[in-house]
Amino acid sequence: MKLRRPRLHVQHSQSAFAEGNVRWTNLDLDPVPRHRRHWGPWSFIAYWISDAFNAATWQFASSIMAVGLGWRESLGIIALSFFIISFVIAANGAVGAIYHIPFPVIARASWGFWGSYIAIISRVILALFWFAIQNVNGGNAVRVMLGAIWPSFLTMGNGIPEGEGITTNGMISYLIFWIVQFPFLWIHPNQVRWLFIAKSVLVPVAWIAILVWAFVAENGGALFEQKATVTGSSYSWLFLGSMTSVLGNYATLSVNQSDFSRYSRSTAKWQLLYVPMLPIVFTFISFIGIAASSAGAARYYNNASIPWDPLDLISHWSSRACRFFAAFSFALASLGVNISANSISAANDLTALLPGYVNLRRGQIICGILSWCLVPWKILESAGNFLNFMSAYAVFLGPIAAIMLWDFWVLKRRKYDTLALYQPRNPIYSYGGWGVNWRAIVAFLVGVVPNLPGLIHSVNGSIPVGEGEHPYEFGWLLGFVGTSVVYVGVSWMWPCSESLVARAVMAEEVYDGIEVEGAGDGEEGRKEVGEKGMRNGYRERDVEG
């Protein structure tokens, strides 16, 4: 008699990918079959427009200006940063579009099965933090919306100590946003693209209207005349530090773009859309932030301070309807980016860590629950803290992105064995049987360690680190370049010949039952990989979510 597994376990397919390897996969980690690939070029364009329109992008330039640079430098930093990272996003996203597998599985090719946990854990921690940050942004938007409907809500008594960084009405708003967001955590990535399409229409219309207001109300304000208030070496370090902050904000998507591109029904070349599109879109949104902050400084603060928080600006408007709908656009923006950049990313990582118990749906729910434990409102207390957080975000992901990029495009010559990425006993990615590619570990440490003194100092300014804080100022670039040189160099000097396959093995071959040279475990050699249980397995996924 077949015993039923406890409901705590998630369902697995009976495909060749899961055969004997349920420790390393489940239905959501298996390669996406043809009939599940619903994302086309317009889906990705809508995805990125949706992702760009969020409060963090608005705050890029204005928060950079708040710490001492002028508006020209701010926009230049943003354009340059996204030009650089767009290549990395496109290169790593193409792997998912070609092989239709998520980031945690791709990481096995360069790190090994057990070594990949370093990359996965590094990213899941940061994704959880950023999810919590966006919850605060969304909660702040809800607070302005409620204040427009019920003005006394903004003046209600505060029962939370001032040092906590949040008020009672702020906590209520945070809770409301979290509850409204919760149902969206149940939506599978294949269906969530409709949320991105809706957001890519509604939010840009609202923000362009705010841009029009900025020029009609105050002709853009006086901040366009602002020059940098720092010079010499301080200017240079501040420039690099601000650039690292911008890069850090999208460092996650530079490694996990494959979590979405795996659902692509189009070719990998469409990932090149990001190179011209991202710098233009993100710089334009940051320009809206500058213009609106400038107009707000002139109208509401007599140019004495900069309302770098857009919700602070909106709260001064006299029209309650305008306040409500503008704040709604920011709430929707936070919701969309939280799903696209954070909850699904964290869910893929949690699924890879515990594939027997966690799938994408459960992973997103866990992400939503854990966000309460991170007290994110403390991170957003000032512009300086906001930039420090984004800099810290980049320290770990720059090296990870570098290892993935060079491993696929240079060392492995774009040839992965998809089936072997699910078979830990297969020698291809076992790296000597230990499941850890020591070359990736060494390169990762080289990229991260020089940034640690500056990271420590940014967390606790009372700890002196001397000149050690400067590498941290350009942590993403330092980590990416240093890791690239070391990983490629060490891999060429001490190559792992087992991981170099003669030809790529695609998911389609496995699903279609084509005989694959060298597929299977150990010495089985030539093995027919049938499609037994494939369609049944994906019908199970339909039921599961």
Side-chain angles (χ1 to χ4, degrees):
M1 182 178 68
K2 185 177 181 180
L3 297 176
R4 294 184 62 185
R5 292 183 303 174
R7 288 188 177 183
L8 188 61
H9 289 80
V10 300
Q11 291 179 315
H12 291 75
S13 70
Q14 299 175 24
S15 70
F17 295 107
E19 189 175 306
N21 301 301
V22 293
R23 172 63 187 81
W24 296 97
T25 193
N26 61 28
L27 286 171
D28 284 329
L29 284 178
D30 281 357
V32 180
R34 289 188 186 93
H35 68 280
R36 283 282 183 174
R37 301 169 191 171
H38 299 322
W39 286 55
W42 289 110
S43 298
F44 285 103
I45 291 173
Y47 166 86
W48 273 106
I49 292 176
S50 166
D51 205 70
F53 278 86
N54 69 84
T57 309
W58 176 294
Q59 294 166 347
F60 280 156
S62 52
S63 57
I64 291 172
M65 294 170 69
V67 294
L69 294 180
W71 70 275
R72 290 183 178 85
E73 291 92 343
S74 298
L75 291 181
I77 287 170
I78 293 162
L80 178 59
S81 299
F82 277 98
F83 179 73
I84 292 171
I85 206 165
S86 64
F87 283 96
V88 184
I89 292 173
N92 284 332
V95 185
I98 294 170
Y99 290 94
H100 305 285
I101 53 180
F103 156 75
V105 176
I106 294 173
R108 297 170 187 171
S110 51
W111 293 80
F113 278 79
W114 293 108
S116 67
Y117 281 8
I118 296 175
I120 293 169
I121 293 173
S122 297
R123 194 193 68 161
V124 71
I125 292 173
L126 299 171
L128 290 171
F129 264 103
W130 196 247
F131 181 88
I133 291 287
Q134 287 295 345
N135 280 347
V136 175
N137 288 332
N140 290 339
V142 171
R143 182 174 58 84
V144 176
M145 292 169 63
L146 293 176
I149 299 171
W150 178 26
S152 60
F153 176 76
L154 299 177
T155 58
M156 69 184 299
N158 180 32
I160 299 177
E162 293 185 6
E164 293 302 313
I166 194 170
T167 61
T168 299
N169 58 23
M171 183 62 76
I172 293 172
S173 303
Y174 183 95
L175 176 61
I176 291 173
F177 178 80
W178 187 87
I179 292 173
V180 171
Q181 177 182 243
F182 198 83
F184 290 92
L185 302 181
W186 290 70
I187 302 176
H188 192 272
N190 246 335
Q191 282 71 50
V192 80
R193 71 188 191 280
W194 297 111
L195 171 64
F196 304 146
I197 292 172
K199 178 188 167 183
S200 66
V201 174
L202 298 176
V203 176
V205 169
W207 289 18
I208 291 173
I210 295 175
L211 177 64
V212 172
W213 167 85
F215 281 95
V216 171
E218 293 291 339
N219 196 28
L223 289 182
F224 287 101
E225 302 172 5
Q226 178 179 320
K227 305 284 193 250
T229 58
V230 293
T231 58
S233 61
S234 297
Y235 175 92
S236 301
W237 289 118
L238 190 57
F239 188 98
L240 286 171
S242 299
M243 187 173 172
T244 297
S245 297
V246 177
L247 289 167
N249 190 59
Y250 277 83
T252 292
L253 289 170
S254 72
V255 302
N256 78 280
Q257 181 60 23
S258 55
D259 289 343
F260 293 93
S261 62
R262 65 188 294 222
Y263 299 103
S264 174
R265 64 172 181 265
S266 54
T267 60
K269 68 180 180 181
W270 287 107
Q271 300 294 305
L272 292 174
L273 279 172
Y274 306 154
V275 177
M277 184 175 69
L278 299 192
I280 294 171
V281 173
F282 280 87
T283 304
F284 173 68
I285 298 171
S286 297
F287 175 77
I288 296 177
I290 289 179
S293 298
S294 178
R299 171 159 288 207
Y300 305 116
Y301 294 93
N302 197 26
N303 291 320
S305 62
I306 306 171
W308 69 285
D309 184 347
L311 296 169
D312 179 27
L313 169 68
I314 292 169
S315 65
H316 287 86
W317 292 355
S318 58
S319 171
R320 292 166 62 180
C322 288
R323 291 205 308 269
F324 179 86
F325 287 109
F328 172 79
S329 74
F330 280 95
L332 179 59
S334 295
L335 171 63
V337 77
N338 231 9
I339 301 298
S340 66
N342 303 314
S343 69
I344 291 178
S345 302
N348 274 283
D349 296 334
L350 293 170
T351 300
L353 294 175
L354 295 167
Y357 300 92
V358 180
N359 55 17
L360 285 179
R361 174 183 290 173
R362 292 183 184 181
Q364 290 193 82
I365 299 301
I366 292 171
C367 175
I369 294 173
L370 290 179
S371 65
W372 279 93
C373 306
L374 303 177
V375 290
W377 40 86
K378 286 185 173 290
I379 300 174
L380 294 176
E381 284 187 278
S382 70
N385 285 345
F386 180 70
L387 292 176
N388 284 340
F389 173 77
M390 289 196 293
S391 295
Y393 201 58
V395 166
F396 302 97
L397 297 188
I400 294 172
I403 290 170
M404 292 175 57
L405 187 152
W406 297 111
D407 184 81
F408 178 75
W409 293 99
V410 175
L411 299 175
K412 304 296 198 306
R413 301 183 185 91
R414 297 175 294 172
K415 298 175 182 177
Y416 282 166
D417 186 327
T418 308
L419 185 59
L421 288 171
Y422 292 84
Q423 297 176 331
R425 294 191 299 272
N426 194 306
I428 295 179
Y429 302 115
S430 66
Y431 289 98
W434 294 96
V436 177
N437 183 6
W438 63 267
R439 304 156 190 82
I441 305 297
V442 170
F444 178 74
L445 292 175
V446 169
V448 170
V449 169
N451 293 303
L452 293 182
L455 176 61
I456 294 170
H457 182 71
S458 72
V459 174
N460 188 345
S462 63
I463 300 177
V465 294
E467 297 298 318
E469 67 178 305
H470 289 316
Y472 179 70
E473 297 293 337
F474 57 105
W476 190 91
L477 289 171
L478 176 63
F480 186 89
V481 174
T483 297
S484 298
V485 172
V486 172
Y487 183 63
V488 174
V490 171
S491 297
W492 277 346
M493 293 175 65
W494 292 281
C496 179
S497 57
E498 293 87 354
S499 65
L500 304 177
V501 297
R503 72 173 186 88
V505 175
M506 314 302 291
E508 290 82 356
E509 298 179 75
V510 181
Y511 283 132
D512 293 341
I514 299 174
E515 290 188 347
V516 179
E517 182 71 27
D521 293 336
E523 301 178 354
E524 290 184 20
R526 191 173 182 87
K527 174 185 177 183
E528 181 177 349
V529 184
E531 58 176 343
K532 176 184 177 182
M534 305 275 179
R535 295 189 179 89
N536 179 59
Y538 280 95
R539 278 201 297 270
E540 291 175 4
R541 178 191 265 187
D542 290 334
V543 175
E544 184 72 8

